[in-house]
Amino acid sequence: MTAQSIRKILFAPIVNENPITLQILGICSALAVTTKVSTALTMCIALTLVVACSSMLISLIRHYIPTNIRIIIQITIAASLVIVVDQFLQAFAYEISRELSVFVSLIVTNCIVLARAETFAMKNPPWPSFLDGLGNGLGYSVILLAVGIIRELFGSGSLLGFTILPLTRDGGWYEPNGLLLLPPSAFFLIGLIIWGVRSWKTNQVEQPEFRIQRTHNPPEVTR
Amino acid sequence: MAEPDHIPVQHSNRRTIGVALAVCLVCSLIVTSAAVTLKPIQISNQIKARQRILVELAGLTGLPVERAYQLFDVRMVELASGAYVDELDVERFDIIKAAKDEEQSTILTREEDIAQIQRKPKYLPVYQISDAGGGLETLILPIYGHGLWSTLYGFIALEGDLRTVKGLQFYQHTETPGLGGEIDNPRWLSSWQGKVIFDEDWQPRIELVRGSVSMATPDSQYKVDGLSGATMTTRGVDNLLKFWFGENGFGPFLLRLREERS
């Protein structure tokens, strides 16, 4: 594999084929875990590990997976990896694993994992599949961290728990925006990011699903 | 009917079952080995987290958690009689195991079982902090009961008057994040401070109510805000408090403490 193709597989999902902004996948966890950068970061690492490893493992056995049970096998592998990651978090990052609660286990239902397995890993060798999973995990992480940074900075005046903008209730000058701590704010932020990305990369703009068809010419009088 | 020739081997049922079994076997091996090897670290994390909650509830700030925890006088109590049982090991006590153990627990009848826990342990640990004069300053009791999805495990701290709540916190549950999960919300938990469990006749009066409770609410000292959007979890907390402060819970133990003091 050439260095160029490696770079393409790894970096394309970060802007050009971002799983969140282009494919609109993985939104559920992006809303839930981005109130703080620490939880967003942990979730990003967990998801990236799971996607990369599950893609690689599925790709390794892709010639042996019977097509009629392929989805079940993909989910079984992803679910096992998620449990392992969850166990590690409970052992080495207990507080954060409590804050993330069910969202780590829900990585298994994250569409990014299944999408990469089904569209890429089933058709490509292990190493590119690993890179593809890694790239998609990083694409997810970039958006999650961007949303997490904005929400924590303007919602609680801190980053990773360190105070950046001193809050009025602690004697500072910054009045926090409470909306940013609620899940809908992540919707707004992701919407704005998608708008921004699509204004920049106009080829990502989707074709309208339907157009209103002109059935007859307007009457002469209105011309 | 004979199988047509063009179907590849991959599609034969035997092969499908074989691959499925192999994948399951490998995956289960990976999962179990991760779970088994990491278990000791997870358990010690849980114990530490529980100790931190106890220390926070007792208001022992400024000390490292392990040191502060040493200040507790931890005793096992026989629930039925309210007497201390000193021959039981407190540190290795596991409330979930004890509630399942035939020897260490009793079955509750449906009328008794308001907290929906089916079995109740015969013995439970209580945590006490004494003040400078040797009187009781804080008493922390373990409490648990069923919420919506899961059993809520927690601790409630009482002031030395054995009536006023010093704090409440849950350390284990799997309620819906954002709804029932709000029982971990620090603001809601702090609203428990100063609430009164027992009325003048030592009957449990504490309850969770709909809507907000202000100082102007009649009997506001016995009332705590229910969690909005989490009716079942709120009811679970209400029920478990009624159970643990009643006759089948810590009632006899608290009675004995009151009688000893007067």
Side-chain angles (χ1 to χ4, degrees):
Chain A
M1 229 169 56
T2 62
Q4 203 185 0
S5 64
I6 290 179
R7 201 174 306 140
K8 187 169 171 287
I9 292 174
L10 192 58
F11 294 116
I14 291 174
V15 176
N16 291 336
E17 287 161 27
N18 189 290
I20 294 185
T21 62
L22 181 65
Q23 300 160 11
I24 324 288
L25 298 178
I27 299 292
C28 163
S29 54
L31 301 184
V33 301
T34 48
T35 41
K36 290 203 296 190
V37 177
S38 61
T39 49
L41 189 66
T42 316
M43 186 70 180
C44 294
I45 297 170
L47 183 116
T48 307
L49 275 175
V50 170
V51 186
C53 297
S54 80
S55 283
M56 189 184 68
L57 291 175
I58 288 162
S59 169
L60 268 176
I61 58 167
R62 68 188 187 282
H63 296 305
Y64 303 96
I65 298 176
T67 44
N68 47 351
I69 57 163
R70 68 183 193 286
I71 303 276
I72 303 175
I73 289 194
Q74 290 160 10
I75 293 178
T76 309
I77 291 172
S80 311
L81 289 169
V82 167
I83 298 173
V84 171
V85 167
D86 196 25
Q87 294 289 327
F88 269 94
L89 281 178
Q90 282 180 30
F92 300 107
Y94 186 69
E95 287 301 312
I96 287 182
S97 87
R98 276 181 58 103
E99 283 177 40
L100 286 171
S101 63
V102 293
F103 295 105
V104 171
S105 345
L106 283 178
I107 291 177
V108 67
T109 62
N110 193 312
C111 307
I112 299 172
V113 181
L114 204 55
R116 291 340 288 169
E118 181 68 2
T119 59
F120 197 95
M122 289 297 281
K123 302 178 187 104
N124 291 283
W127 177 235
S129 299
F130 178 80
L131 291 175
D132 172 76
L134 195 64
N136 276 277
L138 291 176
Y140 171 87
S141 309
V142 165
I143 304 298
L144 235 69
L145 288 176
V147 176
I149 287 171
I150 298 172
R151 288 181 75 184
E152 188 176 344
L153 185 61
F154 297 108
S156 336
S158 59
L159 278 180
L160 281 169
F162 296 105
T163 307
I164 307 282
L165 309 169
L167 301 184
T168 43
R169 79 172 105 96
D170 304 329
W173 54 270
Y174 181 67
E175 181 64 39
N177 185 338
L179 174 67
L180 285 171
L181 296 178
L182 301 173
S185 69
F187 255 132
F188 301 146
L189 289 173
I190 293 173
L192 289 171
I193 292 174
I194 293 175
W195 181 20
V197 169
R198 290 185 185 189
S199 310
W200 172 34
K201 304 256 177 191
T202 44
N203 61 335
Q204 292 194 11
V205 178
E206 287 156 33
Q207 291 299 313
E209 283 176 7
F210 61 87
R211 284 177 204 281
I212 293 174
Q213 197 177 5
R214 283 225 319 235
T215 51
H216 56 82
N217 290 326
E220 297 276 324
V221 276
T222 59
R223 278 192 192 163
Chain B
M1 205 171 81
E3 277 189 357
D5 289 340
H6 63 266
I7 290 184
V9 195
Q10 244 180 320
H11 282 253
S12 81
N13 284 345
R14 191 184 289 177
R15 170 131 183 175
T16 303
I17 294 169
V19 172
L21 279 177
V23 169
C24 289
L25 190 70
V26 172
C27 285
S28 56
L29 275 176
I30 296 172
V31 168
T32 24
S33 47
V36 169
T37 41
L38 296 172
K39 191 96 195 173
I41 311 175
Q42 292 170 354
I43 288 177
S44 90
N45 282 340
Q46 285 167 8
I47 292 173
K48 267 186 216 147
R50 234 168 280 175
Q51 288 181 352
R52 179 157 60 243
I53 287 177
L54 287 165
V55 166
E56 277 170 14
L57 283 175
L60 301 171
T61 47
L63 280 173
V65 173
E66 282 94 34
R67 284 262 302 286
Y69 181 75
Q70 300 298 320
L71 299 174
F72 279 105
D73 178 18
V74 191
R75 307 286 286 274
M76 289 300 273
V77 167
E78 186 181 29
L79 290 182
S81 66
Y84 290 130
V85 187
D86 285 330
E87 48 273 24
L88 292 170
D89 184 11
V90 182
E91 291 309 320
R92 260 184 260 156
F93 179 79
D94 181 342
I95 196 165
I96 298 171
K97 259 190 208 152
K100 280 185 193 148
D101 192 331
E102 303 254 320
E103 299 261 300
Q104 288 188 62
S105 62
T106 48
I107 298 179
L108 291 161
T109 65
R110 191 175 286 191
E111 290 77 45
E112 290 169 338
D113 189 15
I114 39 184
Q116 292 180 48
I117 53 176
Q118 281 100 37
R119 302 182 71 89
K120 118 185 142 162
K122 285 182 190 162
Y123 311 98
L124 279 177
V126 298
Y127 306 80
Q128 298 174 55
I129 294 279
S130 305
D131 59 18
L136 183 66
E137 189 182 298
T138 312
L139 171 69
I140 303 183
L141 305 172
I143 50 175
Y144 69 98
H146 204 267
L148 171 60
W149 307 116
S150 62
T151 305
L152 320 170
Y153 291 89
F155 291 110
I156 188 161
L158 299 181
E159 301 278 359
D161 65 359
L162 300 177
R163 198 178 243 144
T164 315
V165 179
K166 194 163 184 173
L168 169 77
Q169 211 164 321
F170 292 94
Y171 58 83
Q172 192 183 322
H173 68 81
T174 48
E175 299 299 288
T176 322
L179 298 173
E182 290 296 294
I183 54 170
D184 289 337
N185 184 328
R187 258 172 72 185
W188 183 72
L189 290 172
S190 69
S191 73
W192 283 84
Q193 267 163 30
K195 294 293 169 186
V196 181
I197 304 271
F198 295 103
D199 64 9
E200 297 307 313
D201 305 320
W202 291 101
Q203 294 303 310
R205 275 285 296 277
I206 193 83
E207 59 176 340
L208 283 89
V209 295
R210 246 166 225 254
S212 66
V213 177
S214 71
M215 297 300 274
T217 318
D219 290 335
S220 69
Q221 73 270 33
Y222 302 127
K223 288 176 182 164
V224 181
D225 282 7
L227 293 160
S228 53
T231 312
M232 296 304 284
T233 310
T234 302
R235 203 174 289 164
V237 176
D238 193 83
N239 288 339
L240 73 91
L241 288 175
K242 289 207 167 74
F243 176 82
W244 288 107
F245 286 108
E247 273 310 294
N248 291 306
F250 287 104
F253 171 65
L254 292 170
L255 178 69
R256 188 176 67 79
L257 285 188
R258 289 201 299 273
E259 281 171 349
E260 266 174 23
R261 210 168 25 174
S262 56

